[in-house]
Coordinates of all heavy atoms in Angstrom, one line a residue:
L1 N 56.7 -33.3 1.7 CA 57.0 -32.3 0.7 C 58.5 -31.9 0.8 O 59.0 -31.8 2.0 CB 56.1 -31.0 1.2 CG 54.7 -31.0 0.9 CD1 54.0 -29.8 1.5 CD2 54.4 -31.2 -0.5
E2 N 59.0 -31.6 -0.3 CA 60.4 -31.2 -0.4 C 60.5 -29.7 -0.2 O 59.7 -28.9 -0.8 CB 61.0 -31.6 -1.8 CG 62.5 -31.3 -1.9 CD 63.0 -31.7 -3.3 OE1 62.4 -32.5 -3.9 OE2 64.0 -31.1 -3.6
T3 N 61.4 -29.3 0.7 CA 61.6 -27.9 1.0 C 62.7 -27.4 0.0 O 63.7 -27.9 -0.1 CB 62.0 -27.6 2.4 OG1 60.9 -28.2 3.3 CG2 62.2 -26.2 2.7
I4 N 62.4 -26.2 -0.6 CA 63.4 -25.6 -1.5 C 63.8 -24.3 -0.8 O 62.9 -23.4 -0.6 CB 62.8 -25.3 -2.9 CG1 62.4 -26.7 -3.6 CG2 63.8 -24.6 -3.8 CD1 61.6 -26.4 -4.9
S5 N 65.0 -24.2 -0.4 CA 65.4 -23.1 0.3 C 65.8 -21.9 -0.8 O 66.4 -22.2 -1.9 CB 66.8 -23.3 1.1 OG 66.4 -24.1 2.2
P6 N 65.4 -20.7 -0.5 CA 65.7 -19.6 -1.4 C 67.3 -19.4 -1.4 O 67.9 -19.7 -0.5 CB 65.0 -18.4 -0.8 CG 64.7 -18.7 0.5 CD 64.6 -20.3 0.6
T7 N 67.8 -18.9 -2.5 CA 69.2 -18.6 -2.6 C 69.5 -17.1 -2.4 O 70.5 -16.8 -2.1 CB 69.7 -19.1 -4.0 OG1 69.0 -18.4 -5.0 CG2 69.6 -20.6 -4.1
E8 N 68.5 -16.3 -2.7 CA 68.7 -14.8 -2.6 C 67.5 -14.2 -1.9 O 66.3 -14.8 -1.8 CB 68.8 -14.2 -4.0 CG 69.9 -14.7 -4.8 CD 69.9 -14.1 -6.2 OE1 68.8 -13.9 -6.7 OE2 71.0 -14.0 -6.7
I9 N 67.7 -13.0 -1.4 CA 66.7 -12.3 -0.7 C 66.8 -10.8 -1.1 O 67.9 -10.3 -1.2 CB 66.6 -12.4 0.8 CG1 65.3 -11.8 1.4 CG2 67.9 -11.9 1.5 CD1 65.1 -12.3 2.9
I10 N 65.6 -10.2 -1.3 CA 65.7 -8.8 -1.7 C 65.5 -7.9 -0.4 O 64.6 -8.0 0.3 CB 64.5 -8.4 -2.7 CG1 64.7 -9.2 -4.0 CG2 64.6 -6.9 -3.2 CD1 63.5 -9.3 -4.9
K11 N 66.5 -7.1 -0.2 CA 66.5 -6.2 1.0 C 65.6 -5.0 0.8 O 65.2 -4.7 -0.3 CB 68.0 -5.8 1.3 CG 68.9 -6.9 1.8 CD 70.3 -6.5 1.9 CE 70.4 -5.5 3.1 NZ 71.8 -5.2 3.5
R12 N 65.4 -4.3 1.8 CA 64.4 -3.1 1.8 C 64.9 -2.1 0.9 O 64.2 -1.3 0.3 CB 64.3 -2.5 3.2 CG 63.4 -3.4 4.1 CD 63.1 -2.9 5.5 NE 62.2 -3.6 6.2 CZ 62.5 -4.8 6.9 NH1 63.7 -5.1 7.0 NH2 61.5 -5.4 7.5
D13 N 66.2 -2.0 0.7 CA 66.8 -0.9 -0.3 C 66.8 -1.4 -1.7 O 67.3 -0.7 -2.6 CB 68.2 -0.5 0.2 CG 69.3 -1.6 0.1 OD1 68.9 -2.7 -0.4 OD2 70.4 -1.4 0.5
G14 N 66.3 -2.6 -1.9 CA 66.2 -3.1 -3.3 C 67.4 -4.0 -3.7 O 67.4 -4.7 -4.8
S15 N 68.5 -4.0 -2.9 CA 69.7 -4.9 -3.2 C 69.3 -6.3 -3.0 O 68.5 -6.6 -2.2 CB 70.9 -4.4 -2.4 OG 70.6 -4.6 -1.0
I16 N 70.0 -7.2 -3.8 CA 69.8 -8.6 -3.7 C 71.1 -9.3 -3.1 O 72.1 -9.0 -3.5 CB 69.6 -9.2 -5.1 CG1 68.3 -8.6 -5.7 CG2 69.4 -10.7 -5.0 CD1 68.0 -8.9 -7.1
V17 N 70.8 -10.0 -2.0 CA 71.9 -10.6 -1.3 C 71.7 -12.1 -1.1 O 70.5 -12.6 -1.2 CB 72.2 -9.9 0.1 CG1 72.5 -8.5 0.0 CG2 70.9 -10.1 1.0
P18 N 72.7 -12.9 -0.8 CA 72.4 -14.3 -0.6 C 71.5 -14.5 0.7 O 71.7 -13.8 1.6 CB 73.9 -14.9 -0.2 CG 74.8 -13.9 -0.9 CD 74.1 -12.5 -0.8
Y19 N 70.7 -15.5 0.5 CA 69.7 -15.8 1.7 C 70.5 -16.6 2.7 O 71.3 -17.5 2.4 CB 68.6 -16.7 1.1 CG 67.6 -17.1 2.2 CD1 66.7 -16.4 2.7 CD2 67.7 -18.5 2.6 CE1 65.8 -16.8 3.6 CE2 66.8 -18.9 3.6 CZ 65.9 -18.0 4.1 OH 65.0 -18.5 5.0
D20 N 70.4 -16.2 4.0 CA 71.1 -16.9 5.0 C 70.0 -17.2 6.2 O 69.7 -16.4 6.9 CB 72.1 -16.0 5.5 CG 73.0 -16.6 6.6 OD1 72.8 -17.8 7.0 OD2 74.0 -15.9 7.1
S21 N 69.6 -18.5 6.2 CA 68.7 -18.9 7.2 C 69.2 -18.8 8.6 O 68.5 -18.7 9.6 CB 68.2 -20.3 6.9 OG 69.3 -21.2 6.9
D22 N 70.6 -18.8 8.8 CA 71.3 -18.8 10.0 C 70.9 -17.4 10.7 O 70.8 -17.3 12.0 CB 72.7 -18.9 10.0 CG 73.1 -20.4 9.6 OD1 72.2 -21.2 9.9 OD2 74.2 -20.6 9.1
K23 N 70.7 -16.3 9.9 CA 70.4 -15.0 10.4 C 69.1 -15.0 11.1 O 68.8 -14.5 12.2 CB 70.5 -13.9 9.3 CG 71.9 -13.6 8.9 CD 71.8 -12.4 7.9 CE 73.3 -12.1 7.5 NZ 73.2 -10.9 6.6
I24 N 68.1 -15.7 10.5 CA 66.8 -15.8 10.9 C 66.8 -16.6 12.3 O 66.2 -16.2 13.3 CB 65.8 -16.5 10.0 CG1 65.6 -15.6 8.8 CG2 64.4 -16.8 10.6 CD1 64.9 -16.2 7.6
A25 N 67.5 -17.7 12.3 CA 67.6 -18.6 13.4 C 68.3 -17.8 14.7 O 67.9 -17.9 15.8 CB 68.4 -19.9 13.2
A26 N 69.3 -17.0 14.4 CA 69.9 -16.2 15.4 C 69.0 -15.2 16.0 O 68.9 -15.0 17.3 CB 71.1 -15.5 14.9
V27 N 68.1 -14.5 15.2 CA 67.2 -13.5 15.7 C 66.2 -14.2 16.6 O 65.7 -13.8 17.7 CB 66.5 -12.7 14.6 CG1 65.4 -11.9 15.1 CG2 67.6 -11.8 14.0
L28 N 65.7 -15.4 16.0 CA 64.7 -16.1 16.8 C 65.2 -16.6 18.1 O 64.5 -16.7 19.1 CB 64.2 -17.3 15.9 CG 63.2 -16.9 14.9 CD1 62.9 -18.2 14.0 CD2 61.9 -16.4 15.5
K29 N 66.4 -17.1 18.1 CA 67.0 -17.5 19.4 C 67.0 -16.4 20.5 O 66.7 -16.7 21.6 CB 68.5 -17.9 19.2 CG 69.1 -18.7 20.4 CD 70.4 -19.2 20.1 CE 70.9 -20.0 21.3 NZ 72.1 -20.7 21.1
K30 N 67.2 -15.2 20.1 CA 67.0 -14.1 21.0 C 65.6 -13.9 21.5 O 65.3 -13.7 22.6 CB 67.6 -12.8 20.4 CG 69.1 -12.6 20.2 CD 69.4 -11.4 19.6 CE 70.9 -11.4 19.3 NZ 71.4 -10.2 18.6
A31 N 64.6 -14.1 20.5 CA 63.3 -14.0 20.9 C 62.8 -15.1 21.8 O 62.0 -15.0 22.6 CB 62.4 -14.1 19.6
F32 N 63.5 -16.2 21.7 CA 63.2 -17.4 22.6 C 64.1 -17.4 23.8 O 64.2 -18.4 24.5 CB 63.5 -18.7 21.8 CG 62.3 -19.2 21.0 CD1 62.0 -18.8 19.7 CD2 61.4 -20.1 21.5 CE1 61.0 -19.2 18.9 CE2 60.3 -20.6 20.8 CZ 60.1 -20.1 19.5
N33 N 64.6 -16.2 24.2 CA 65.5 -16.0 25.4 C 66.7 -17.0 25.4 O 67.0 -17.6 26.4 CB 64.6 -16.2 26.6 CG 63.6 -15.0 26.7 OD1 63.9 -13.9 26.4 ND2 62.5 -15.4 27.1
E34 N 67.4 -17.0 24.2 CA 68.6 -17.8 24.0 C 68.3 -19.4 24.1 O 69.2 -20.1 24.2 CB 69.6 -17.4 25.0 CG 70.1 -15.9 24.8 CD 70.5 -15.6 23.4 OE1 71.3 -16.4 22.7 OE2 70.2 -14.5 22.9
E35 N 67.1 -19.8 24.2 CA 66.8 -21.2 24.2 C 66.7 -21.8 22.8 O 66.6 -21.0 21.8 CB 65.5 -21.5 24.9 CG 65.6 -21.2 26.4 CD 64.2 -21.5 27.1 OE1 63.5 -22.3 26.6 OE2 64.0 -20.8 28.2
Q36 N 66.8 -23.0 22.6 CA 66.7 -23.6 21.3 C 65.4 -23.4 20.6 O 64.3 -23.5 21.2 CB 66.9 -25.2 21.4 CG 66.9 -26.0 20.1 CD 68.1 -25.6 19.3 OE1 69.2 -25.3 19.8 NE2 68.0 -25.6 17.9
V37 N 65.4 -22.9 19.4 CA 64.3 -22.6 18.5 C 63.7 -24.0 18.0 O 64.5 -24.9 17.5 CB 64.6 -21.8 17.4 CG1 63.4 -21.5 16.5 CG2 65.2 -20.5 17.8
P38 N 62.5 -24.3 18.3 CA 61.9 -25.6 17.8 C 62.2 -25.8 16.3 O 62.0 -24.9 15.5 CB 60.5 -25.5 18.1 CG 60.4 -24.5 19.1 CD 61.4 -23.5 18.9
E39 N 62.7 -27.0 16.0 CA 62.9 -27.3 14.5 C 61.7 -27.2 13.6 O 61.8 -26.8 12.5 CB 63.5 -28.7 14.5 CG 64.1 -29.1 13.1 CD 65.3 -28.2 12.8 OE1 66.1 -27.9 13.7 OE2 65.5 -28.0 11.5
S40 N 60.5 -27.5 14.3 CA 59.3 -27.4 13.5 C 59.0 -25.9 13.0 O 58.5 -25.7 11.9 CB 58.1 -27.8 14.3 OG 58.0 -27.1 15.5
V41 N 59.4 -24.9 13.8 CA 59.3 -23.5 13.4 C 60.3 -23.2 12.3 O 59.9 -22.6 11.3 CB 59.6 -22.5 14.6 CG1 59.7 -21.1 14.2 CG2 58.5 -22.8 15.7
L42 N 61.5 -23.6 12.3 CA 62.5 -23.4 11.4 C 62.1 -24.1 10.1 O 62.3 -23.5 9.0 CB 63.9 -23.9 11.8 CG 64.5 -23.1 13.1 CD1 65.7 -23.7 13.6 CD2 64.6 -21.6 12.8
T43 N 61.5 -25.3 10.1 CA 61.2 -26.0 8.9 C 60.0 -25.3 8.2 O 60.0 -25.2 7.0 CB 60.7 -27.4 9.3 OG1 61.9 -28.1 9.8 CG2 60.3 -28.2 8.1
K44 N 59.1 -24.8 9.0 CA 57.9 -24.0 8.3 C 58.5 -22.8 7.7 O 58.0 -22.4 6.6 CB 56.9 -23.7 9.4 CG 55.9 -24.9 9.7 CD 54.9 -24.5 10.7 CE 53.8 -25.6 10.9 NZ 54.4 -26.9 11.3
I45 N 59.3 -22.1 8.4 CA 59.9 -20.8 7.8 C 60.6 -21.1 6.4 O 60.4 -20.5 5.5 CB 60.8 -20.2 8.8 CG1 60.1 -19.6 10.0 CG2 61.6 -19.0 8.0 CD1 61.1 -19.2 11.2
E46 N 61.4 -22.2 6.4 CA 62.1 -22.6 5.2 C 61.1 -22.9 4.1 O 61.3 -22.5 2.9 CB 63.0 -23.7 5.4 CG 64.3 -23.3 6.2 CD 65.1 -22.2 5.4 OE1 65.6 -22.5 4.3 OE2 65.3 -21.1 6.0
F47 N 60.1 -23.7 4.4 CA 59.0 -24.0 3.5 C 58.4 -22.8 3.0 O 58.3 -22.6 1.7 CB 58.0 -25.0 4.1 CG 56.9 -25.3 3.2 CD1 57.1 -26.3 2.1 CD2 55.7 -24.6 3.2 CE1 56.1 -26.5 1.2 CE2 54.7 -24.9 2.3 CZ 54.9 -25.9 1.3
L48 N 57.9 -21.9 3.8 CA 57.2 -20.7 3.4 C 58.1 -19.8 2.6 O 57.6 -19.3 1.5 CB 56.7 -20.0 4.7 CG 55.5 -20.6 5.4 CD1 55.3 -20.0 6.7 CD2 54.2 -20.6 4.6
N49 N 59.3 -19.6 3.0 CA 60.2 -18.7 2.3 C 60.6 -19.4 0.9 O 60.8 -18.6 -0.1 CB 61.5 -18.5 3.0 CG 61.3 -17.4 4.0 OD1 60.3 -16.6 4.1 ND2 62.3 -17.3 5.1
G50 N 60.6 -20.6 0.8 CA 60.9 -21.3 -0.5 C 59.7 -21.2 -1.5 O 60.0 -21.5 -2.7
C51 N 58.6 -20.8 -1.1 CA 57.5 -20.6 -2.0 C 57.5 -19.3 -2.8 O 56.7 -19.1 -3.7 CB 56.2 -20.6 -1.2 SG 55.7 -22.2 -0.4
F52 N 58.4 -18.4 -2.5 CA 58.6 -17.2 -3.2 C 59.7 -17.2 -4.3 O 60.8 -17.7 -4.0 CB 58.9 -16.1 -2.2 CG 57.8 -15.6 -1.4 CD1 57.4 -16.4 -0.3 CD2 57.1 -14.5 -1.7 CE1 56.3 -16.0 0.5 CE2 55.9 -14.1 -0.9 CZ 55.6 -14.8 0.1
N53 N 59.4 -16.8 -5.5 CA 60.4 -16.6 -6.5 C 61.3 -15.4 -6.2 O 62.5 -15.4 -6.6 CB 59.8 -16.6 -7.9 CG 59.1 -17.8 -8.4 OD1 59.6 -18.9 -8.0 ND2 58.1 -17.7 -9.1
N54 N 60.7 -14.3 -5.7 CA 61.4 -13.1 -5.4 C 61.2 -12.8 -4.0 O 60.5 -11.8 -3.6 CB 61.0 -12.0 -6.3 CG 61.3 -12.2 -7.8 OD1 62.4 -12.5 -8.1 ND2 60.3 -12.2 -8.6
L55 N 61.9 -13.5 -3.1 CA 61.6 -13.3 -1.6 C 62.2 -12.0 -1.2 O 63.4 -11.6 -1.5 CB 62.3 -14.5 -0.8 CG 62.2 -14.4 0.6 CD1 60.8 -14.7 1.1 CD2 63.2 -15.4 1.3
T56 N 61.4 -11.2 -0.5 CA 61.9 -10.0 0.1 C 61.9 -10.1 1.6 O 61.4 -11.0 2.2 CB 60.8 -8.8 -0.2 OG1 59.6 -9.1 0.5 CG2 60.6 -8.6 -1.6
V57 N 62.7 -9.2 2.3 CA 62.8 -9.2 3.7 C 61.4 -9.2 4.3 O 61.2 -9.9 5.3 CB 63.7 -8.0 4.1 CG1 63.6 -7.9 5.7 CG2 65.1 -8.3 3.7
E58 N 60.6 -8.4 3.7 CA 59.2 -8.2 4.3 C 58.4 -9.5 4.3 O 57.8 -9.9 5.2 CB 58.4 -7.1 3.6 CG 58.9 -5.7 3.9 CD 60.0 -5.3 3.0 OE1 60.5 -6.1 2.1 OE2 60.6 -4.2 3.2
N59 N 58.5 -10.2 3.1 CA 57.9 -11.6 2.9 C 58.4 -12.5 4.0 O 57.7 -13.2 4.6 CB 58.2 -12.2 1.6 CG 57.6 -11.4 0.4 OD1 58.2 -11.2 -0.7 ND2 56.4 -10.9 0.6
S60 N 59.8 -12.5 4.1 CA 60.3 -13.4 5.1 C 59.9 -13.1 6.5 O 59.6 -14.1 7.3 CB 61.9 -13.3 5.0 OG 62.5 -14.3 5.8
Q61 N 59.8 -11.9 6.9 CA 59.3 -11.5 8.2 C 58.0 -11.9 8.4 O 57.7 -12.5 9.5 CB 59.5 -10.0 8.4 CG 59.2 -9.6 9.8 CD 59.6 -8.1 10.1 OE1 59.9 -7.3 9.1 NE2 59.5 -7.7 11.4
D62 N 57.0 -11.8 7.5 CA 55.7 -12.3 7.6 C 55.7 -13.7 7.7 O 54.9 -14.3 8.5 CB 54.9 -11.8 6.3 CG 54.7 -10.3 6.2 OD1 54.8 -9.6 7.2 OD2 54.2 -9.9 5.2
N63 N 56.5 -14.5 7.0 CA 56.6 -15.9 7.1 C 57.0 -16.4 8.4 O 56.5 -17.4 8.9 CB 57.4 -16.4 6.0 CG 56.8 -16.3 4.6 OD1 55.7 -16.1 4.4 ND2 57.7 -16.3 3.5
V64 N 58.0 -15.7 9.0 CA 58.5 -16.1 10.3 C 57.3 -15.9 11.3 O 57.1 -16.8 12.1 CB 59.6 -15.2 10.7 CG1 60.0 -15.4 12.3 CG2 60.9 -15.5 10.0
Q65 N 56.6 -14.8 11.3 CA 55.4 -14.6 12.1 C 54.4 -15.6 12.0 O 53.9 -16.2 13.0 CB 54.9 -13.1 12.0 CG 55.8 -12.1 12.5 CD 55.2 -10.7 12.4 OE1 55.1 -10.2 11.3 NE2 54.8 -10.2 13.5
L66 N 54.1 -15.9 10.8 CA 53.1 -17.1 10.4 C 53.6 -18.4 11.0 O 52.7 -19.1 11.6 CB 52.8 -17.1 8.9 CG 51.8 -18.2 8.5 CD1 50.6 -18.0 9.1 CD2 51.8 -18.2 7.0
A67 N 54.8 -18.7 10.8 CA 55.3 -19.9 11.3 C 55.2 -20.0 12.8 O 54.8 -21.1 13.4 CB 56.7 -20.2 10.8
L68 N 55.6 -18.9 13.4 CA 55.4 -18.9 14.9 C 54.0 -19.0 15.4 O 53.7 -19.8 16.4 CB 56.0 -17.6 15.4 CG 57.6 -17.5 15.3 CD1 58.0 -16.0 15.5 CD2 58.3 -18.4 16.4
M69 N 53.2 -18.4 14.8 CA 51.7 -18.5 15.1 C 51.1 -19.9 14.9 O 50.4 -20.4 15.7 CB 50.8 -17.5 14.4 CG 51.1 -16.1 15.1 SD 50.0 -14.8 14.3 CE 50.7 -14.5 12.7
L70 N 51.5 -20.5 13.7 CA 51.0 -21.9 13.5 C 51.5 -22.9 14.5 O 50.9 -23.9 14.7 CB 51.6 -22.3 12.0 CG 50.9 -21.6 10.8 CD1 51.6 -22.0 9.6 CD2 49.4 -22.1 10.7
E71 N 52.7 -22.6 15.0 CA 53.2 -23.5 16.1 C 52.8 -23.1 17.5 O 53.2 -23.6 18.5 CB 54.8 -23.5 16.0 CG 55.2 -24.3 14.8 CD 54.9 -25.7 14.8 OE1 55.1 -26.3 15.9 OE2 54.4 -26.2 13.7
G72 N 51.9 -22.1 17.6 CA 51.3 -21.6 18.9 C 52.2 -20.6 19.7 O 51.9 -20.4 20.9
F73 N 53.2 -20.1 19.1 CA 54.1 -19.1 19.8 C 53.6 -17.7 19.5 O 54.4 -16.9 18.9 CB 55.5 -19.4 19.4 CG 56.1 -20.6 19.8 CD1 56.3 -21.7 18.8 CD2 56.4 -20.9 21.1 CE1 56.8 -22.9 19.1 CE2 56.9 -22.1 21.4 CZ 57.1 -23.1 20.4
F74 N 52.4 -17.3 19.9 CA 51.8 -16.0 19.6 C 52.7 -14.9 20.3 O 52.8 -13.9 19.6 CB 50.3 -16.0 20.0 CG 49.6 -17.0 19.3 CD1 49.2 -18.2 19.9 CD2 49.1 -16.7 18.0 CE1 48.4 -19.1 19.1 CE2 48.3 -17.7 17.2 CZ 48.0 -18.9 17.8
D75 N 53.1 -15.1 21.5 CA 53.8 -14.1 22.2 C 55.1 -13.8 21.5 O 55.5 -12.6 21.4 CB 54.0 -14.4 23.7 CG 54.7 -15.8 23.9 OD1 54.6 -16.6 23.0 OD2 55.3 -16.0 24.9
I76 N 55.8 -14.8 21.1 CA 57.1 -14.6 20.4 C 56.9 -14.0 19.0 O 57.7 -13.2 18.6 CB 57.8 -15.9 20.3 CG1 58.2 -16.4 21.8 CG2 59.1 -15.8 19.5 CD1 58.9 -17.7 21.9
S77 N 55.8 -14.4 18.4 CA 55.4 -13.8 17.1 C 55.3 -12.2 17.3 O 55.8 -11.5 16.4 CB 54.1 -14.3 16.6 OG 53.8 -13.7 15.4
M78 N 54.8 -11.7 18.3 CA 54.6 -10.3 18.5 C 55.9 -9.6 18.8 O 56.1 -8.5 18.4 CB 53.6 -10.0 19.6 CG 52.2 -10.5 19.3 SD 51.5 -10.1 17.7 CE 51.4 -8.3 17.9
K79 N 56.8 -10.4 19.5 CA 58.2 -9.9 19.7 C 58.9 -9.7 18.4 O 59.7 -8.8 18.3 CB 59.0 -10.8 20.6 CG 58.7 -10.8 22.1 CD 59.6 -11.7 22.8 CE 59.1 -12.1 24.2 NZ 60.1 -13.0 24.8
Y80 N 58.7 -10.6 17.5 CA 59.5 -10.7 16.2 C 59.1 -9.5 15.3 O 59.8 -9.1 14.5 CB 59.3 -11.9 15.5 CG 60.3 -12.1 14.4 CD1 61.6 -12.5 14.6 CD2 59.8 -11.9 13.1 CE1 62.5 -12.6 13.5 CE2 60.8 -12.0 12.0 CZ 62.0 -12.4 12.2 OH 62.9 -12.5 11.2
S81 N 57.8 -9.0 15.4 CA 57.3 -8.0 14.5 C 58.1 -6.6 14.6 O 58.8 -6.3 15.5 CB 55.8 -7.7 14.8 OG 55.6 -7.3 16.0

């Protein structure tokens, strides 16, 4: 499957800003105690976020948690919430 990365994300205040997957990776790195985040998790997040035409911060956060759980990182998923 081809992954289509979103170009924009709708913030909680309704403003639209460029989508930056590096921000998600940086937050996840903290949740993983500064260790490398598995590429499989990042790939799933990009795939899930790419499924939205109007991606919101809330959608993205849900997708991160889902990707973590699908990869078996339930404890980290709870930290991310």
Side-chain angles (χ1 to χ4, degrees):
L1 290 173
E2 183 179 338
T3 301
I4 301 171
S5 291
T7 57
E8 300 174 329
I9 189 165
I10 303 168
K11 294 176 64 172
R12 287 182 174 86
D13 67 3
S15 61
I16 299 172
V17 298
Y19 176 80
D20 185 359
S21 61
D22 291 338
K23 287 184 179 182
I24 295 170
V27 171
L28 282 173
K29 189 171 182 177
K30 289 180 185 177
F32 274 87
N33 295 318
E34 301 301 323
E35 293 182 25
Q36 183 67 32
V37 180
E39 191 63 35
S40 59
V41 171
L42 297 174
T43 300
K44 278 186 176 54
I45 293 167
E46 286 300 299
F47 175 79
L48 292 168
N49 281 344
C51 292
F52 285 80
N53 288 328
N54 296 305
L55 181 67
T56 65
V57 168
E58 290 85 1
N59 297 139
S60 182
Q61 187 171 8
D62 291 346
N63 290 338
V64 169
Q65 288 182 289
L66 177 59
L68 288 166
M69 288 187 283
L70 287 170
E71 290 294 313
F73 297 105
F74 298 99
D75 54 336
I76 294 175
S77 174
M78 296 313 293
K79 284 184 194 178
Y80 191 82
S81 62

